[in-house]
Amino acid sequence: MAKLPIALTIAGSDPSSGAGVQVDLKTFWENGVYGLSVITAITSQNSQKVLDVYGLPADVVSSQLESLFEDFLIDSVKIGMLFSAKIVVAVTNILKKYSVKKIVLDPVIKSSSGYILLQDDGMDALISELIPMVSLITPNIYEASLLSGIEITDENKIFTAAKKIYKLGAKNVLIKGGHLNTKKQSIDFLYDGNSIYRFSQKRFQNKEVHGTGCIYSSAIAANLAKGHNIIDSVKNAKSFMERVLNSSLCLGKGVNFWIKY
């Protein structure tokens, strides 16, 4: 029997199942990959906002990781919300211990409703400990601005920010341009240390979907788990995201949710 690729998500739990571990696992499966999960934090959130976050003890996160790496051959790892410096360090240590090569980091810092999801010391640890070992980091405009110290207002600023983030140690930097003021297209920019690649799709006007950052980074990780290179993984994930946006519905009182593939 052919081996089924395995991807691991390390992220927070979302009880509305629109983001975090819940939607990561759904994304893995829809992309032909079996998903494992390690929870870093428990959130109280819905389609409108994040109300509360409880970060798990770092040793509990380490224990979850050890249990999986002792048993499974994991092809790729997607990292989302980490919450604290202790969790960042715990995750980094385990990934180093097991020499994980394919790591996608979605640097979740703040929710769209403004709730802080990564503490200040967590940001410092992210930069010094984790970013230098990831295959790809996928910040949005806000996150890229924080990581680079550059206020991003146009494509030229994106290029400059990508190069600064690359110097932090990530092998590839994908800055999501969805929040740029472009009318007809949403363009993401991938920098590999040598070239900038653009990935575009039509912009869905007035259609915000919960958890798109989680879905996108998980789709990339799933493609890496299947053996695709970075460029093809991003291209396939971008195509997948268009179908996600086309199949979303309003279930609560806030943003839409991805319903089906």
Side-chain angles (χ1 to χ4, degrees):
M1 182 181 292
K3 177 186 179 296
L4 183 66
I6 296 176
L8 164 65
T9 171
I10 305 170
S13 171
D14 172 11
S16 73
S17 295
V21 162
Q22 287 86 342
V23 84
D24 291 345
L25 292 173
K26 179 180 178 182
T27 302
F28 289 159
W29 190 249
E30 293 287 1
N31 281 274
V33 173
Y34 184 76
L36 308 174
S37 61
V38 164
I39 293 175
T40 59
I42 307 297
T43 72
S44 299
Q45 62 177 294
N46 52 35
S47 66
Q48 295 176 290
K49 60 184 178 180
V50 176
L51 292 89
D52 199 6
V53 176
Y54 175 76
L56 294 184
D59 60 344
V60 173
V61 175
S62 294
S63 177
Q64 292 178 77
L65 287 166
E66 286 280 8
S67 70
L68 296 178
F69 278 106
E70 286 177 359
D71 189 22
F72 297 93
L73 180 60
I74 297 171
D75 297 293
S76 72
V77 174
K78 173 267 170 89
I79 303 173
M81 177 185 169
L82 295 174
F83 186 65
S84 71
K86 289 183 178 180
I87 294 176
V88 173
V89 172
V91 168
T92 301
N93 288 341
I94 298 294
L95 296 181
K96 286 180 178 178
K97 177 179 177 179
Y98 289 95
S99 302
V100 180
K101 302 301 182 186
K102 298 178 181 179
I103 305 171
V104 178
L105 171 61
D106 182 18
V108 178
I109 297 170
K110 185 174 71 172
S111 73
S112 56
S113 60
Y115 201 103
I116 299 299
L117 302 177
L118 181 65
Q119 298 172 342
D120 288 342
D121 62 350
M123 174 68 88
D124 294 338
L126 197 78
I127 291 171
S128 64
E129 302 291 332
L130 186 54
I131 290 178
M133 64 178 300
V134 304
S135 309
L136 175 70
I137 185 170
T138 65
N140 59 29
I141 294 295
Y142 167 76
E143 293 156 352
S145 295
L146 285 182
L147 290 168
S148 67
I150 296 170
E151 183 180 357
I152 298 174
T153 55
D154 55 36
E155 284 193 19
N156 288 331
K157 294 289 181 64
I158 282 183
F159 300 156
T160 305
K163 291 173 182 177
K164 288 199 70 172
I165 296 170
Y166 179 82
K167 289 180 179 177
L168 296 177
K171 295 179 181 64
N172 297 271
V173 180
L174 179 69
I175 297 182
K176 297 173 288 190
H179 293 150
L180 276 184
N181 188 24
T182 52
K183 293 182 179 179
K184 294 184 178 180
Q185 289 188 320
S186 171
I187 306 174
D188 301 332
F189 303 85
L190 174 68
Y191 180 64
D192 65 0
N194 294 305
S195 303
I196 290 279
Y197 303 87
R198 291 174 172 82
F199 301 86
S200 64
Q201 68 182 52
K202 70 175 183 178
R203 182 175 291 280
F204 289 76
Q205 300 293 338
N206 303 316
K207 191 171 187 179
E208 185 178 354
V209 178
H210 189 42
T212 50
C214 302
I215 299 167
Y216 192 17
S217 54
S218 293
I220 295 171
N223 276 275
L224 290 174
K226 292 191 291 185
H228 294 298
N229 62 34
I230 287 286
I231 292 175
D232 287 341
S233 293
V234 174
K235 187 183 299 183
N236 292 343
K238 190 76 171 175
S239 177
F240 179 78
M241 288 305 299
E242 187 164 346
R243 295 193 288 274
V244 165
L245 292 168
N246 270 319
S247 64
S248 63
L249 291 175
C250 184
L251 300 177
K253 298 177 181 178
V255 297
N256 286 12
F257 283 72
W258 168 36
I259 302 303
K260 62 181 180 179
Y261 177 55

